[in-house]
Every structure is written in C-alpha cells, then in structure tokens.
Amino acid sequence: FLFVPAVEVKIEVVIPEKERSKEEMSPNGKASPLVYKVNGTARHYHLEEHPIASNPYHNPKDVVEASVCHVKDLENGQMREVDLGCGKALLIKESGEFHAVGHKCPHYGAPLVKGVLSKGRVRCPWHGACFNIGTGDIEDFPGLDSLPRFQVKIEKEKVYIRASKQALQTQRRTKMMAKCISLSNYNLSSTNVLIIGAGAAGLVCAETLRQEGFSDRIVMCTMDRHLPYDRPKLSKSMDSHPEQIALRPKEFFRTYDIEVLTEMQVAAVDIKNKIAVFKDGFKMEYNKLLIATGNTPKALSCKGKEVENVFNIRTPEDANRVVKLATSKNVVIVGASFLGMEVAAYLTERAHSVSLVELEEVPFKKFFGERVGRAVMKMFESNRVKFYMQTEVSELREQEGKLKEVVLKSGKVLRADVCVVGVGAVPATGFLKQSGINIDSKGFIVVNKMMQTNIPGVFAAGDAVMFPLALRNNKKVNVPHWQMAHMHGRIAALNMLAHGMEISTVPYLWTAMFGKSIRYAGHGEGFDDVVIQGDLDELKFVAFYTK
C-alpha cells in the first residue's frame, strides 16, 4: 500500500549561494574558459578554480567542545537538537551508543530532529533524504551532500561533543572525491565516461564515480545552456535565476574535473565503435556511457499551437518569462498535472486570473483517487483558481501574433495573455532508435537492477528508463521522480566500477502548493480502495492505497 501524508510545512527557504567570482579560470591559469576547436566550432568547458578545504580539525581555534546533556537524558531511539554555542548538532542514541551529526538536511535545510530514526539511519521529514548516523553519509535522496559527523565522548556520565565551527555553520559535508590524473594528456574527442544529460541522475553518477576514487576523464553533455540545476523548483519557485537553483557552483566542476559541455545535443550513438555523434557532427569516443536524457514535454496539437506566449516549463528562462507575462494578466494552464497545478498555485497571487483546463473530472484522480483529488481542487478554488474540467483546447487564438484567447471544445472561450502546457511528457530517446539499445514501445530504455542496458558498458538512468522495482517483485516500471533519478545515477556509477550494486529504493515524490505539501511513498498502478485517516477538509490526513 501507499501513503500520502498531506501536512502543513514551513515555507522552504533556499539560502542563496555566496557571491562567487565572475572570473572563469582555465587549467593553464589564464582567466578564460577552457576552449577547444573541433571542425571550426569553439566549445566551452565550464570550469573554475576552487581551493579544497583542509581538515577543519587541524586548526585548534576552529574546534569547539561542549557538554550537551547527561547520559540518562536520552533513551535508545531518541534524537535531540543540542546547542554548542556557535552552532547546533543532532545528538542521537541508538543501541546504547551516542552519535552526533549535522542537525539540518543539506537538501533544503529541514530540521532532522523531526525526521525518523531507524536502523542506524535518520530520514529527513520533508523530502525523505536518508543519512547514516555513524558516518553522516547520504544513503537515499534527494540532495547531494552528506552530514558533518562530530566526535562524541562520555566523561563522568556527561555527554560531550567536539566539532569544527565551520562544519557546525555549514551543516553539510561533500564526500571525499578523487581528482583527474591529468586532463592535459587527453585526446579532446575521447573520454572514459560520457554522460548524456545533466540532470540529477547524470550529476550523481559523476559525483559517485569521483567519490569511489575514479580518476579518469568524465564528460557530461547537455542540451541546456546551464550547469545542472534543481528542475523541480521551476514550477514551485518560478522567478528563480539559474545561479540560485544550481545544484553545484561552477568551481565544484573545476575542482573535481567533471567537464560539462552545454548546448550540445547527441544525435546518435554508435555502440559498436563506442562513439557518440553530436548534432553538429562532432564525435566523442567513450569507454562507459550513461544515458540520462529525461523527458520531452508534450505539445498541444490544436489549431493555433504556434502562437506566441504559449509555454512548456522546461528551463529557468521559460519559468521567468511566464512570471513576467502573467503578472496582472490572464493565465490559462492546460493540464492538471503536478507541473500544471504547481504553476497555478505559484501564479495565483501574481496574475489577474488563473484558469485550469483538464480532461479528467478531478485533478490527480489517477494518482491520489477522487476524494483526495477533490480536496486538493477545493483548496485551489478557494485560492481563486477556476477549473474547466472534462474538456480540452480546440484552438489558440491570436491578436498581432500573440495569444489572446483559448477556445475549449465545450465552446467556452477564455481570455488568455499567457498559456502554460502541462499535459505530460515522452522519453527523450528518439536518437537511440537505430542504436541497438533496447527501447520499449513507448520509448523507455529498458535496464536491469544495475541500471545496465542490453549493451555492455552502456547504462541508463532517470525519467527515461524502465527498471525492476524491488517492492513490486521486480516488475519493470517507470518512476519519473527527482529522488529516484538521484538513486539511478548512484547505482549506475557503482556498477560502472563493477560493484555489483542492485537498486532497491522505495519511490518517493512530493509536491508543494499554497503552503501545503503532499508526499507520496511507494508505487501503485491502480487501486481498489483508499483508506483515509485524518481530516480531508483540513488537508491533514494519511491515505493508504490498497489493491
């Protein structure tokens, strides 16, 4: 069974990155990006110099030690947030032993003391990231960083924690990573590992390889113009700039020699000769390949679909443009998908009107069932969102080239200055059709428990794959969740290094709208009954989906 807790959450606050140097340093020390030319085309690697922090315990002035409680103050299985004067730590007692780690989840800063402690791991209360209490290492996702771990000692029945001030203040720890042996020795058109796609799956794969000591060349390529960023934020925080939602700063990629080719599209993969062919004709040889290309949004197929101011939210620029055009204007959103509903929730306070068009009779009916869907719909209606259900768009009308009206099949005409389309997506795998890599009838890449395709040395991860789900007796499923993409990338990397690691994680997704958060754990395709505990009208409930 599955559960969907819908609970009030505090507003998620993203701490802005510190101002970074605008200068990009190349490996030869000159203040310019590393550029090379192939077939007359200049290509840029986004790299930046970044000093590696030394061990904080080397400097005694950076260390604080404090008595935090009596040994009897905590029972087994209890956690407590403790103050060390210059910062806080999470003190944990399990199986008679004390552990101390960072008290905030590095993903969005959730207080871990409100999470769940079980079998040597603490799980974040907001989005389910999971950390080992003995090492602080991240063991389930989302997020990239681990927790700092602090020394605990017992003297005269008192518990003392010794910690670095820096770690207490940052509340995060990047796992130790290898660096490349020598980039200067490489042929620019060959790499040991090529990663197609720069979302969560691709980045976690690259980072895991470095964490495991892999010191050969890694190249990521993306059609996007940006380094990897937090894509789920695009529909929840639409005015975010790329730098604010970057998963890693530019200098991180330079420090760990993870090369990123932006605005580069792979057109074909030659598995026999292990070559990726790019759209502009550039070719790159690889030894190991990860395909993590994600999805492509579906477009409307109605009359007038080429009109200006109709958007799929795919990039930060799309999201920013929609916010600008929607301010004090009329917005029509097509599709009560997660994206469509999140965009509607974000724009209600900014737009003059928000209308939502959906083919089903209730939002989220397929995922959450009719009762939960109606409760969510009621919340939206009380926030001025107007629903047009069981209909679809027949025409987009323009005035001077720009959208003016959305005509529905029901005959209703809606005023619209901007339209956002959220009617689903298809796997971005068209370029693999002639490759010999196993693709199913819907375009998904089929992989085994180790994220391997049918071709040796070729792995796939993220939204575009069908993989065996352990909790469904290894039935092949597609789970397009942010959390799952992270785990896919990690499993793929470990198996590139022949670790024989199988995926067994539980799918988990979340959405946030009007200060409420819906979290969904497990995986179900259809259900016979929904058992609800709590108050649906107050949106404080748990739903169990049974079959």
Side-chain angles (χ1 to χ4, degrees), residues 35-167:
V35 179
Y36 65 94
K37 292 201 172 190
V38 182
N39 307 340
T41 310
R43 314 198 181 281
H44 294 249
Y45 280 134
H46 289 270
L47 305 166
E48 197 164 303
E49 201 64 70
H50 181 63
I52 298 173
S54 59
N55 184 338
Y57 283 85
H58 287 172
N59 181 359
K61 288 181 182 175
D62 186 48
V63 176
V64 62
E65 186 172 300
S67 167
V68 291
C69 70
H70 191 275
V71 286
K72 290 181 180 174
D73 287 348
L74 253 65
E75 299 290 333
N76 276 326
Q78 284 191 327
M79 302 187 287
R80 179 183 287 187
E81 216 174 71
V82 293
D83 199 332
L84 277 70
C86 62
K88 292 179 179 179
L90 183 69
L91 181 65
I92 299 164
K93 188 178 183 183
E94 192 171 71
S95 305
E97 287 190 17
F98 286 91
H99 304 272
V101 292
H103 75 290
K104 283 184 181 176
C105 178
H107 178 227
Y108 281 0
L112 292 174
V113 73
K114 293 185 178 179
V116 175
L117 175 65
S118 175
K119 298 175 184 174
R121 302 163 104 204
V122 60
R123 193 174 280 277
C124 170
W126 286 0
H127 306 119
C130 201
F131 303 90
N132 184 303
I133 62 172
T135 63
D137 285 353
I138 187 166
E139 293 187 350
D140 199 354
F141 302 94
L144 296 166
D145 288 316
S146 297
L147 297 175
R149 184 174 65 93
F150 308 125
Q151 291 175 4
V152 179
K153 67 177 183 180
I154 313 293
E155 277 184 9
K156 296 177 182 176
E157 300 290 285
K158 284 189 175 180
V159 180
Y160 291 83
I161 295 178
R162 188 167 188 258
S164 116
K165 292 176 186 175
Q166 185 186 1

Side-chain angles (χ1 to χ4, degrees), residues 196 201 289-293 429 432 437-439 444-448 450-455 457-467 485 488-489 491-493 496:
I196 307 174
L289 177 67
L290 177 74
I291 303 162
T293 44
T429 56
L432 298 172
I437 294 167
N438 189 5
I439 308 276
F444 293 107
I445 306 166
V446 181
V447 296
N448 64 15
M450 297 181 188
M451 308 313 294
Q452 294 167 324
T453 67
N454 59 312
I455 307 299
V458 178
F459 298 77
D463 293 2
V465 307
M466 293 287 283
F467 71 101
H488 282 182
I491 298 292
M496 283 181 181

Side-chain angles (χ1 to χ4, degrees), residues 19-31:
E19 280 298 316
R20 299 192 205 109
S21 163
K22 297 276 191 280
E23 244 184 8
E24 288 189 347
M25 297 293 289
S26 69
N28 58 18
K30 290 175 183 167

Side-chain angles (χ1 to χ4, degrees), residues 4 8 56 186 220 290 317 393 472 537 543:
V4 188
E8 286 190 50
Y186 292 125
M220 298 174 73
L290 177 74
E317 288 78 14
V393 176
R472 280 283 172 272
D537 292 331

